[in-house]
């Protein structure tokens, strides 16, 4: 705090920010616009830090407003559209299957069931059951946003080459034992950012 002013942003449907009133055609551009509404109050360049979906939003924000971004630090940004674009069939089919299972349960108003599949997929079998009742309830409530998140991530169209314009600004990390779709997305983005941009964490 003696060096930086840190701002935590609640994206649509998270924290104190409600779900969007008009969910039709929701995309990452809507998340970027929300971020910009906060950042427009800042009259100096800024650093971006994001994880998973937040990392995807952070990279999109950096692409759209590069002149204000000093650096981007993201852990496993889930820009899954790149798997489809780059014909990474195995990884694309895996995340498509998981998302279908999650969304099917949410469509049936089984938020806890959808959240359980999501949590166990990313954290290992039994991860959901290890959560406290309060953690399960909060995670299930957050699952209401999952259909919009997946739609935004799968609907992106930025080509892989565009991320190369951020070379020299991005620190990209990925877990050594993460799921294949996240690992492949990180590898793809790292391939256009240049040497030293991608770090695998043990």
């Amino acid at each position: 705090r003696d060096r930086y002013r840190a701002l935590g942003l609640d994206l649509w449907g998270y924290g104190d920010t409600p779900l969007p009133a008009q969910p039709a055609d929701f995309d990452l551009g809507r998340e970027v616009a929300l971020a910009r509404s906060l950042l427009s109050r800042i009259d100096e360049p800024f650093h971006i830090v994001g994880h998973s979906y937040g990392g995807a939003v952070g990279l999109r924000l950096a692409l759209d407003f590069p002149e204000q971004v000093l650096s981007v630090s993201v852990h496993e940004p889930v820009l899954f559209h790149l798997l489809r674009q780059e014909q990474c069939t195995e990884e694309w089919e895996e995340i498509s299957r998981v998302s279908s299972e999650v969304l099917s349960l949410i469509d049936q108003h089984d938020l806890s069931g959808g959240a359980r599949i999501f949590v166990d997929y990313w954290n290992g079998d039994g991860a959901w059951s290890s959560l406290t009742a309060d953690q399960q309830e909060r995670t299930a409530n957050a699952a209401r946003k999952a259909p919009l998140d997946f739609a935004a991530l799968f609907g992106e169209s930025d080509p892989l080459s565009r991320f190369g314009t951020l070379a020299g600004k991005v620190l990209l990390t990925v877990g050594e034992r993460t799921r294949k779709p996240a690992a492949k997305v990180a590898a793809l983005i790292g391939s256009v950012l240049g040497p030293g941009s991608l770090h695998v964490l043990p």
Side-chain angles (χ1 to χ4, degrees):
R1 290 186 179 183
D2 60 332
R3 297 175 58 201
Y4 295 101
R5 176 188 180 196
L7 300 173
L9 174 64
D10 289 340
L11 298 174
W12 289 109
Y14 295 108
D16 292 330
T17 304
L19 287 168
Q22 298 175 326
D25 301 321
F26 185 83
D27 60 14
L28 285 187
R30 297 272 296 278
E31 301 283 19
V32 169
L34 179 66
R36 287 289 297 164
S37 69
L38 171 65
L39 297 173
S40 64
R41 307 173 195 173
I42 302 172
D43 59 358
E44 56 188 337
F46 49 84
H47 301 274
I48 296 173
V49 179
H51 167 232
S52 191
Y53 183 73
V57 175
L59 283 171
R60 173 67 187 274
L61 178 64
L63 287 174
D64 291 351
F65 303 95
E67 69 285 349
Q68 288 184 263
V69 177
L70 293 171
S71 73
V72 183
S73 298
V74 288
H75 181 69
E76 299 186 11
V78 287
L79 288 161
F80 293 132
H81 76 287
L82 294 174
L83 300 175
R84 183 186 67 248
Q85 285 185 358
E86 298 300 310
Q87 300 179 350
C88 304
T89 306
E90 179 184 354
E91 294 84 358
W92 172 252
E93 289 180 350
E94 178 175 320
I95 197 59
S96 296
R97 173 183 54 78
V98 172
S99 68
S100 293
E101 292 174 3
V102 170
L103 297 181
S104 175
L105 288 170
I106 292 174
D107 284 345
Q108 298 170 45
H109 307 290
D110 184 0
L111 294 176
S112 292
R116 175 183 53 78
I117 290 176
F118 185 87
V119 168
D120 282 355
Y121 172 73
W122 286 108
N123 302 282
D125 290 341
W128 173 258
S129 62
S130 72
L131 299 177
T132 66
D134 179 63
Q135 289 171 329
Q136 288 183 352
E137 182 180 0
R138 286 189 285 114
T139 305
N141 285 333
R144 298 175 195 278
K145 176 76 182 312
L148 296 182
D149 287 354
F150 278 121
L153 295 171
F154 290 171
E156 273 292 279
S157 59
D158 279 321
L160 179 61
S161 59
R162 190 177 179 214
F163 293 91
T165 64
L166 299 175
K169 283 189 173 185
V170 178
L171 170 64
L172 178 62
T173 60
V174 61
E176 184 178 40
R177 294 188 294 158
T178 193
R179 294 294 188 174
K180 290 180 180 179
K184 178 59 78 172
V185 168
L188 289 170
I189 298 173
S191 72
V192 298
L193 289 175
S197 60
L198 175 61
H199 297 264
V200 179
L201 305 179

